[in-house]
Amino acid sequence: MPLLEIKADELAARRLRLKRENRKLFVRRFLVNKAAVTGSVLIALVAAVSLFAPWIASRDPYAIDVVNRLKAPSAVYPFGTDNFGRDLLTRVVYGTRMSAEVGFAVALGSSAIGLVIGLYAGYFKWLDQILMRVMDGLFAFPAVLLAIAMMAALGPSVGNLILCLIIVFVPSIARIVRSSVLTAKETTYIEAMHTLGASHNRIIWKHILPGSLSTLIVQGSFIFAEAIIVEAALSFLGAGIPAPTPSLGNLLSDGKLYIYNSSWMTLFPGLALVLVVLAMNLFGDGIRDLLDPHARRSLTKRLVQPLKQRPAPFQAGSAAADEPLLQIRELKTQLHTERGRVPAVDGVSFEVGKGEVVGIVGESGCGKSATAQSVLRLFDEKRLAEYEGEIRYNGIDLLKLTPKQMRSVRGNEISMIFQDPLSSLNPVHTIGEQIVETLRLHRPIGKKEAWTKAVELLRLTGIPAPERRAREYPHQLSGGMRQRVMIAIALACEPQLLIADEPTTALDVTIQAQILELILDLNRRMGMSVMLITHDLGVVAEACSRVVVMYLGQVVESGDVRTLFEKPLHPYTIGLMQSIPRLDGDRSQELAAVPGSVPSLDQLPQGCRFAPRCTYADDKCRTVMPELAALPGGDTLVRCWHAGKLSGMEA
Ligand SMILES: Nc1ncnc2c1ncn2[C@@H]1O[C@H](COP(=O)(O)OP(=O)(O)OP(=O)(O)O)[C@@H](O)[C@H]1O
């Protein structure tokens, strides 16, 4: 039976039904949001006035009629006339249209430019320094003052006004978008997208942008309102739209001299200004609530066009059948941190065979995750990390691949799952969309087929009602379910190697056992190799055939699980084993923990790294670093001067 069973017709019908339900739900939520409804009604009114201006006000907005100057509102002139006898209703209608056009153009222009600047400045640190300093410079000037200065230089015209206002408002959009990018960048789901092989541009536009959209739309609508106010202020001061073109600012400016005797000249343009600004502000507030990613449904799909680009394919090598799938040789990963250059991984060597489960153990900070991240080259190679050594995957050294080739390895050949499934999933995309994304990133398949596969993958990982779950967002699922989803995403492209970095740590005990069983079951059924990173030696004993014990960036002991657990040779492994609670142990006795704690990487001891915590340490240990080597007649590799002596002792 094929792994992913397809029931396309049934799924398509359900999908259509769910789409309709989503739409209905959005409309219902919109209708109960008073601010959004009132704002939208007012905007519709302004839009109608702007579009149908010639029909609403049939008089010529420029026609001077001195005989009828300064006429009070009446049946003939509902808003009265101005100092040139022009019909004020007509001028307010055309003025509103002009102001709305300026507001719309400025909101659109500044949002588009500010969005691009904010996205790239937030994502690339080096660009941030340049772009944000320029933005800060512009932001330091009060909006009106900056606009006046630019208009004075360019000269008054509608086009120049729009250009100046776009420049004035770009910094506020850029700053807001940038800060939402900085927050998004911290989340593990963006890291997870790197592990799945997504390019920077794809991550920015597909995964970070949706999270910034609600902020952008809200801010855009406020800028619409603010641009109209600044336009009015500039025109009022004679530095905006040149007279006699009607704009709300010009009308207020015209009325200021007659405010005491002909107050209608300022009253009606003033009311129109309040109406437009209020409409945009109410709309912005309402939309902010509706677009909250935790409350909304499938809006992102409509707002974001999927990007089509795919990473260049990685030509998998063909290692001999008996050769290990992954061979790590003398891997060194130096990280440039605030504490200086530190060796997070320091000469690590081990192998993962085809279909094998290898455990990596050690206390927190021993370099387990750093080793895993190095295999997928997840550290930023421009600023943070330098790699040395070899990481041979199917005979090909991953350290020699280009970034593009590396992207096609991640999520495709080698997948990774993390300990916190919630932060590894994108909150603004449904579960199904995220699996489809991974599939389409590496496989030339259509959306429909990818969706069917996504549902089957969810079924494979034991998620009940997978069709419904695929439509849900990460926050709607329990921790165990989310980890199953992460596994489904990791398995989407049927990788040959799964790196599971403490996949059960964030889950409760019964769920931990289920997730572990699921990983092992998939390993057995799909023949997929697994690199299992854990603190839990019990899990290693149960699940792995070989184990690698790490301490301070180095392998201190590695070998066959049974042999190593029966006769651990390194004092650190012995310490770790003694700290495991035993059912047959004496419960009145405290569990022995390894004394002391893992030192920081910038304070590495001389000689054996474990010496300061080791009860067997002597002068030689404290001065000369032991090599990782097997004892005569043994297979287990150990890095200890006293291993020979310890091999004769009981653990
Ligand atoms: N991005 C990073 N920047 C700076 N230092 C880092 C980074 N990632 C890891 N390190 C450092 O590398 C060392 C090893 O960390 P690593 O996360 O690999 O440990 P670990 O054994 O996986 O621990 P844990 O079980 O807590 O995840 C630590 O000293 C850590 O501070």
Side-chain angles (χ1 to χ4, degrees):
M1 198 179 81
L3 188 64
L4 304 175
E5 197 181 296
I6 299 173
K7 296 174 192 158
D9 290 347
E10 191 192 327
L11 283 173
R14 283 185 196 195
R15 222 167 34 241
L16 208 69
R17 211 170 49 237
L18 277 162
K19 219 175 206 169
R20 265 189 234 122
E21 278 169 19
N22 273 343
R23 228 172 280 147
K24 273 191 212 153
L25 192 75
F26 182 78
V27 172
R28 271 210 301 277
R29 291 182 54 237
F30 178 82
L31 291 177
V32 294
N33 187 316
K34 289 196 185 91
V37 171
T38 318
S40 304
V41 169
L42 292 178
I43 287 175
L45 189 70
V46 173
V49 166
S50 304
L51 285 173
F52 304 113
W55 291 276
I56 296 169
S58 53
R59 290 189 170 108
D60 181 352
Y62 299 97
I64 295 173
D65 179 8
V66 281
V67 179
N68 288 314
R69 67 190 294 271
L70 298 176
K71 286 273 183 223
S74 65
V76 185
Y77 299 107
F79 285 6
T81 61
D82 69 5
N83 50 324
F84 288 104
R86 294 173 295 200
D87 177 37
L88 209 58
L89 170 66
T90 309
R91 286 186 65 78
V92 168
V93 166
Y94 280 90
T96 305
R97 174 154 101 169
M98 173 55 74
S99 293
E101 278 170 7
V102 170
F104 183 71
V106 171
L108 203 69
S110 55
S111 297
I113 300 171
L115 174 72
V116 175
I117 293 177
L119 282 175
Y120 283 89
Y123 192 83
F124 296 107
K125 219 172 173 183
W126 61 274
L127 252 185
D128 192 38
Q129 294 297 326
I130 307 165
L131 292 175
M132 292 324 284
R133 288 307 74 80
V134 177
M135 294 297 111
D136 288 348
L138 287 173
F139 206 68
F141 290 95
V144 178
L145 200 66
L146 183 62
I148 289 177
M150 284 193 284
M151 285 301 284
L154 294 174
S157 82
V158 178
N160 286 347
L161 180 72
I162 292 174
L163 179 69
C164 291
L165 293 185
I166 287 178
I167 296 173
V168 164
F169 289 113
V170 158
S172 64
I173 294 272
R175 283 163 69 117
I176 281 183
V177 173
R178 172 185 172 265
S179 69
S180 72
V181 175
L182 289 177
T183 315
K185 242 177 74 180
E186 293 293 304
T187 53
T188 335
Y189 71 79
I190 295 300
E191 242 176 60
M193 283 319 297
H194 285 294
T195 70
L196 293 174
S199 66
H200 291 309
N201 275 328
R202 192 178 179 89
I203 292 174
I204 290 174
W205 292 100
K206 178 103 201 236
H207 293 275
I208 295 185
L209 174 66
S212 313
L213 270 184
S214 54
T215 324
L216 182 72
I217 292 171
V218 174
Q219 192 63 16
S221 56
F222 291 143
I223 282 186
F224 192 126
E226 234 180 290
I228 290 175
I229 296 174
V230 177
E231 177 280 310
L234 289 181
S235 301
F236 188 84
L237 295 169
I241 296 170
T245 309
S247 78
L248 295 177
N250 277 345
L251 297 184
L252 287 168
S253 174
D254 293 346
K256 69 177 184 282
L257 292 174
Y258 304 91
I259 197 155
Y260 297 113
N261 302 326
S262 309
S263 54
W264 57 87
M265 273 187 72
T266 42
L267 176 70
F268 292 108
L271 283 177
L273 186 64
V274 169
L275 179 84
V276 180
V277 172
L278 189 71
M280 290 319 297
N281 282 341
L282 283 174
F283 178 76
D285 277 345
I287 277 308
R288 179 175 42 208
D289 298 343
L290 280 171
L291 291 186
D292 179 345
H294 293 287
R296 41 137 260 171
R297 295 292 181 267
S298 65
L299 208 67
T300 324
K301 235 180 166 177
R302 275 179 277 150
L303 294 171
V304 186
Q305 287 299 315
L307 298 171
K308 298 273 178 242
Q309 120 210 33
R310 285 198 183 85
F314 158 73
Q315 298 298 324
S318 50
D322 55 346
E323 233 179 72
L325 180 69
L326 183 77
Q327 285 176 294
I328 302 180
R329 292 270 165 271
E330 284 300 315
L331 174 67
K332 290 189 182 172
T333 306
Q334 302 266 0
L335 299 179
H336 296 270
T337 68
E338 284 157 6
R339 297 165 281 156
R341 234 163 80 125
V342 296
V345 180
D346 198 4
V348 163
S349 303
F350 66 90
E351 293 169 354
V352 180
K354 291 188 175 113
E356 191 183 22
V357 184
V358 173
I360 316 281
V361 296
E363 289 166 291
S364 200
C366 283
K368 306 182 296 293
S369 304
T371 304
Q373 282 171 277
S374 303
V375 170
L376 280 174
R377 284 174 56 190
L378 291 178
F379 290 116
D380 178 349
E381 288 168 36
K382 283 203 186 107
R383 268 158 295 278
L384 181 64
E386 274 169 43
Y387 301 110
E388 264 178 60
E390 275 184 10
I391 305 172
R392 291 205 161 269
Y393 168 77
N394 255 335
I396 288 186
D397 187 357
L398 297 182
L399 290 181
K400 297 215 163 70
L401 296 187
T402 63
K404 232 177 181 182
Q405 288 171 320
M406 214 37 227
R407 280 205 291 275
S408 64
V409 172
R410 298 182 191 122
N412 190 23
E413 299 283 334
I414 307 176
S415 275
M416 187 160 174
I417 49 174
F418 302 92
Q419 58 175 271
D420 182 1
L422 182 60
S423 56
S424 304
L425 290 165
N426 190 333
V428 300
H429 289 292
T430 62
I431 301 305
E433 281 167 353
Q434 298 189 50
I435 304 177
V436 165
E437 155 100 13
T438 310
L439 279 164
R440 283 170 50 85
L441 204 60
H442 297 289
R443 301 276 186 273
I445 60 170
K447 275 188 183 172
K448 210 169 161 187
E449 194 190 341
W451 185 270
T452 313
K453 278 196 166 190
V455 171
E456 283 311 313
L457 279 161
L458 291 177
R459 197 189 309 285
L460 186 78
T461 54
I463 291 188
E467 292 89 351
R468 183 163 57 81
R469 292 299 190 185
R471 288 270 152 205
E472 292 185 346
Y473 288 86
H475 70 274
Q476 293 173 285
L477 271 62
S478 67
M481 286 291 167
R482 287 197 283 260
Q483 196 54 292
R484 283 174 196 271
V485 171
M486 281 307 298
I487 293 172
I489 292 176
L491 295 182
C493 295
E494 297 176 30
Q496 294 197 47
L497 174 65
L498 174 73
I499 302 177
D501 190 352
E502 302 191 33
T504 59
T505 307
L507 308 172
D508 68 49
V509 184
T510 44
I511 308 295
Q512 280 185 11
Q514 289 173 16
I515 294 293
L516 191 66
E517 189 39 51
L518 171 64
I519 293 174
L520 296 180
D521 184 42
L522 293 168
N523 154 258
R524 285 189 291 265
R525 283 163 60 186
M526 297 168 70
M528 173 186 68
S529 308
V530 180
M531 194 167 134
L532 183 65
I533 297 174
T534 179
H535 285 112
D536 192 337
L537 291 184
V539 165
V540 173
E542 197 182 317
C544 305
S545 52
R546 275 183 319 114
V547 59
V548 176
V549 184
M550 286 193 69
Y551 185 74
L552 263 186
Q554 295 181 322
V555 175
V556 291
E557 190 164 1
S558 71
D560 165 71
V561 166
R562 189 175 288 197
T563 319
L564 194 143
F565 277 23
E566 270 171 15
K567 193 151 283 300
L569 299 175
H570 197 284
Y572 181 59
T573 317
I574 296 171
L576 287 180
M577 290 187 63
Q578 283 173 346
S579 62
I580 309 175
R582 286 171 192 269
L583 284 177
D584 56 354
D586 179 356
R587 292 184 188 199
S588 62
Q589 289 230 315
E590 263 190 50
L591 283 174
V594 184
S597 57
V598 183
S600 150
L601 283 175
D602 57 339
Q603 288 164 356
L604 292 177
Q606 234 201 321
C608 170
R609 300 225 166 131
F610 188 60
R613 299 174 69 189
C614 181
T615 41
Y616 304 95
D618 55 21
D619 284 349
K620 187 179 182 188
C621 301
R622 281 185 276 270
T623 46
V624 190
M625 164 93 72
E627 291 295 320
L628 184 71
L631 291 180
D635 287 332
T636 303
L637 299 176
V638 59
R639 190 189 288 277
C640 176
W641 293 122
H642 300 290
K645 194 168 70 191
L646 290 170
S647 72
M649 291 167 54
E650 284 298 308

